[in-house]
Amino acid sequence: MGPGDLDQALCGMDIPFDPNVLVGLRGGDDAGVYRISEELALVQTVDFFTPIVDDPRTFGQVAAANSLSDVYAMGGRPITAMNIVCFPAKKLGLEPLREILRGGLDTLKEAGVALLGGHTVEDAEPKYGLSVTGLIHPHRILTKAGLKEGDRIVLTKPLGTGVISTALKGRVASPSACDAMVRSMRTLNRAASEAALEAGAVACTDVTGFGLLGHMMEMAKASGMRVRLDTTRIPLLEGARDCAAMGTVPGGTRANRSFFSPRVEGEDRMDPVMLDLLYDPQTSGGLLIAVPQERVELLEDALQRRGVITAANIALVEGPKQGGKIALNA
Ligand code: CO
Ligand code: CO
Ligand code: CO
């Protein structure tokens, strides 16, 4: 499924109004939010995908970090999770499945999230992920729609998991690039989310399948703001540029570009390798956190203290004029 496909599939459906749905299908946000009381709301999300690394335990760890990320992107605290598994048990036996589930549990333990159960189906291609439930205060929800003129946007993980995992499939990725990718994908967005809340963030999302430009565009559109992205400040995973230059570019990159590029200005002045990285689909990517200019240092300090050392201040919210567009600085 590419960008826009789900919107099209749901188009025209009559979704009943419920006043307790604080964030639902309409906003296209990272997770849904449902109000339980004046002080408490549930954050709910589900995500699963096919293996992107060979080692089943690592795959489980990465898939779980990726599934939890949408709750962190809303500023929520995940509390429970359920496994979703498709697996060719008749062909591969149960041992690799056990390793995937063990990996998922590693990450849930680290996050302090309780595993409640799950569901498994026999399928030719393995797929794994989790549905996750979290808690949030109804007045402290971070959506994509909160950008204001003059805000800065900080990215909390380097880019490049798409090109490196594609190189890995083609057996041309360097071991150090693979290590850097796995380390990054396994890392929870919890610390970044806590730092965002501490610094008084006004909007947030996580970078996943639509790439940096796609997810930043969703913020720009939801907020009706024009965003200027300084591409010289973007952190890249070790080896990501080499992989992109070799041309190990996943199919999703082209789909992302053709969908989002009509609203991106300045692509013609960009190095084509860097442009591929801006559209590179990420697995378990970082958060994009927006704060008013005067709180950028506060945010950077809060991130540093929690060990989020690759965070970079990459974009400026210019204002409502030509809203829903991104301008690139090369
Ligand atoms: Co998301
Ligand atoms: Co998601
Ligand atoms: Co069941």
Side-chain angles (χ1 to χ4, degrees):
M1 297 267 289
D5 287 349
L6 187 61
D7 286 343
Q8 222 178 324
L10 285 166
C11 180
M13 276 191 214
D14 182 27
I15 294 155
F17 174 77
D18 182 332
N20 290 316
V21 174
L22 303 180
V23 180
L25 279 167
R26 259 170 269 269
D29 235 293
D30 292 303
V33 182
Y34 189 87
R35 179 170 51 207
I36 303 292
S37 72
E38 285 309 309
E39 267 86 56
L40 195 64
L42 293 179
V43 191
Q44 297 190 291
T45 178
V46 57
D47 227 311
F48 66 115
F49 51 80
T50 54
I52 51 156
V53 288
D54 293 331
D55 178 57
R57 187 161 182 170
T58 304
F59 171 52
Q61 292 169 342
V62 168
N66 184 72
S67 297
L68 292 165
S69 177
D70 278 329
V71 174
Y72 292 129
M74 303 301 288
R77 182 169 63 85
I79 53 166
T80 64
M82 312 264 251
N83 284 322
I84 301 160
V85 186
C86 303
F87 197 75
K90 289 189 184 102
K91 193 173 127 207
L92 297 182
L94 285 181
E95 196 43 38
L97 174 58
R98 284 176 56 80
E99 282 298 295
I100 292 172
L101 297 176
R102 194 173 276 138
L105 203 52
D106 292 338
T107 300
L108 292 181
K109 279 185 200 157
E110 187 193 338
V113 171
L115 180 66
L116 298 186
H119 185 76
T120 308
V121 294
E122 181 82 22
D123 192 357
E125 192 178 21
K127 298 170 196 79
Y128 174 65
L130 300 117
S131 77
V132 182
T133 299
L135 299 178
I136 198 165
H137 191 287
H139 299 151
R140 298 200 75 189
I141 302 167
L142 295 176
T143 67
K144 297 172 183 173
L147 299 182
K148 298 276 183 313
E149 189 167 340
D151 287 350
R152 301 290 323 199
I153 303 176
V154 171
L155 172 66
T156 67
K157 283 188 190 179
L159 298 182
T161 70
V163 284
I164 296 174
S165 61
T166 304
L168 177 65
K169 279 184 195 130
R171 307 286 151 200
V172 290
S174 73
S176 61
C178 293
D179 286 351
M181 171 184 73
V182 165
R183 230 178 300 124
S184 178
M185 293 191 301
R186 266 205 290 243
T187 302
L188 292 173
N189 280 328
R190 175 177 54 188
S193 176
E194 287 172 1
L197 290 172
E198 184 189 317
V202 293
C204 186
T205 194
D206 59 342
V207 181
T208 52
F210 301 159
L212 175 68
L213 275 178
H215 291 281
M216 190 172 268
M217 184 70 77
E218 291 189 329
M219 296 181 102
K221 270 193 192 163
S223 308
M225 289 285 150
R226 176 185 167 92
V227 175
R228 180 163 295 277
L229 174 61
D230 185 347
T231 63
T232 63
R233 292 174 173 234
I234 292 170
L236 299 176
L237 284 168
E238 186 190 332
R241 183 178 276 281
D242 296 340
C243 291
M246 263 194 299
T248 60
V249 174
T253 304
R254 206 153 299 126
N256 289 341
R257 188 169 176 190
S258 66
F259 188 80
F260 292 107
S261 102
R263 307 187 73 85
V264 178
E265 287 164 23
E267 285 191 358
D268 43 324
R269 293 189 301 274
M270 287 289 304
D271 161 23
V273 170
M274 189 62 193
L275 195 56
D276 278 344
L277 290 164
L278 298 182
Y279 284 114
D280 189 51
Q282 301 299 287
T283 298
S284 192
L287 298 185
L288 284 169
I289 303 170
V291 286
Q293 171 73 53
E294 67 272 16
R295 286 193 228 139
V296 171
E297 271 179 50
L298 211 70
L299 175 62
E300 285 171 338
D301 180 62
L303 287 164
Q304 286 255 321
R305 256 188 286 120
R306 289 174 175 82
V308 187
I309 45 169
T310 52
N313 175 353
I314 58 168
L316 166 71
V317 181
E318 290 190 323
K321 205 175 156 204
Q322 290 190 289
K325 287 197 171 174
I326 295 179
L328 302 180
N329 272 16

